[in-house]
Amino acid sequence: MEDLKQYKDVWRQQEYKDLQVDENTLSQMIHRKSSSIVKWIFYISLIEFLVLTLINIFVKLDENETDLKQMGLGQFMNWITIIVGYIIPLFFIYLFYKNYKQISVTSTTKALIHSILKTRKTVMYYIITIVLAITITLLYSTYAILHSPEYAGLLADYSTNGELLLWGIVILFILAVDGLLLLFYFLLYGLLVRKLIFNYKELTKQ
Amino acid sequence: MTAELEKRFIKELEENQNIIHKVCKAYTTNRDDHNDLFQEISIQLWKAYDKFRGDSKFSTWMYRVALNTAISLYRKSKRSIKTGELYDNSKELIYEEYDDTTEVQLATLYKMIHQLNDIEKALVLLYLEDKSYREIALCLGISEVNARVKMNRTKTKLKKLVNP
């Protein structure tokens, strides 16, 4: 190949006669819906916030509060519900909105990609936080159950390896739930921002 | 936004639309994708138009938004892969040895551009537009030195692609 410079003239001469769009069509075009990746990230993130918040609400509704109180978990569950159900989602929604508003198509390419990835990362941190909260709640509840006189007696009657069995079931359950949530997230995340991550690495490469 | 503003925008968009076509042709390989990207860039330009202060030329501002959309915001529609009509590169295949007409040269150039990644494409496009390394660096958000280094690497890559 000869030098790229030689193509400068020919580049300027391009006319695209067959592709010209008239004012009328342009006028209609600019009012159509955008299909940008940012819009998808916004919708998917909102769905994730909603789904996880709904899971929190349903988990709370399904709890047998009397049983929890008997096990000494009433206070613990109240705090968990307030923190995981309200404080954490509100904090992350605020962060997400703040980052989302900073996305500007007129900034530099590097700054634009960085702000999109930052917005998406906020959702990733939210998911990790919820997954951790679910894990800690399940582990703590299991521990409390095993140490409550009523349930410990029941387990002892059921099997000699009752405690071990319960831990096994709980850990398997945690792994399955956490694994599914993380797999779903990384698939979605990977598909959406794979191109952006690649381009960002290209830009930051020295 | 007012009707007056929209009218002014449409006029400028129509006059400068070749900039968008250049970006679309570099970042897509068929007509459907070209049209999709053209529409997305137009939408993004209109959404950002009220922030355009006129500090730079409209065409420069347009280039930045168009490249940013192609690199960061655009998602190729799956539909177009099946139905899209490929750009007509037949001329370059037939007349490659008599590489002296504008059309053939352009076809060769686009064929090379299509083998580059998104960032390399942006570098080549800005270079062909005669932008200085400072302007290229400002558009992409990298240092001037880094812009030079990347441009040299891209040129080497292009040479290797043509003469493997």
Side-chain angles (χ1 to χ4, degrees), chain B residues 113-129:
Chain B
I113 290 174
H114 285 153
Q115 297 185 65
L116 301 172
N117 69 39
D118 287 353
I119 304 301
E120 291 165 342
K121 280 177 187 164
L123 284 160
V124 169
L125 260 65
L126 291 166
Y127 175 83
L128 289 168
E129 286 295 326

Side-chain angles (χ1 to χ4, degrees), chain A residues 3-8 11-12, chain B residues 63 67 120-133 136 151-152 155 158:
Chain A
D3 201 276
L4 198 56
K5 216 177 207 172
Q6 67 159 340
Y7 289 99
K8 279 188 178 182
W11 181 257
R12 270 192 291 270
Chain B
Y63 229 107
L67 281 176
E120 291 165 342
K121 280 177 187 164
L123 284 160
V124 169
L125 260 65
L126 291 166
Y127 175 83
L128 289 168
E129 286 295 326
D130 237 357
K131 303 285 180 200
S132 66
Y133 281 111
I136 295 175
M151 191 65 224
N152 285 335
K155 281 181 186 170
L158 282 172

Side-chain angles (χ1 to χ4, degrees), chain A residues 142-143 145-146 155 161-171:
Chain A
T142 311
Y143 177 82
I145 287 169
L146 287 170
L155 276 173
N161 291 323
E163 187 172 339
L164 206 64
L165 186 73
L166 186 68
W167 276 116
I169 293 169
V170 168
I171 288 168

Side-chain angles (χ1 to χ4, degrees), chain A residues 111-129:
Chain A
L112 172 65
I113 302 180
H114 183 259
S115 57
I116 299 172
L117 291 177
K118 201 173 156 195
T119 307
R120 192 59 206 158
K121 262 186 190 162
T122 311
V123 188
M124 178 181 83
Y125 293 140
Y126 178 60
I127 290 173
I128 290 173
T129 309

Side-chain angles (χ1 to χ4, degrees), chain B residues 34-52:
Chain B
H34 183 117
N35 295 340
D36 271 359
L37 182 55
F38 187 95
Q39 178 171 301
E40 190 57 44
I41 292 171
S42 304
I43 294 170
Q44 294 299 333
L45 281 164
W46 173 233
K47 274 167 54 178
Y49 190 57
D50 62 334
K51 287 177 207 128
F52 175 61

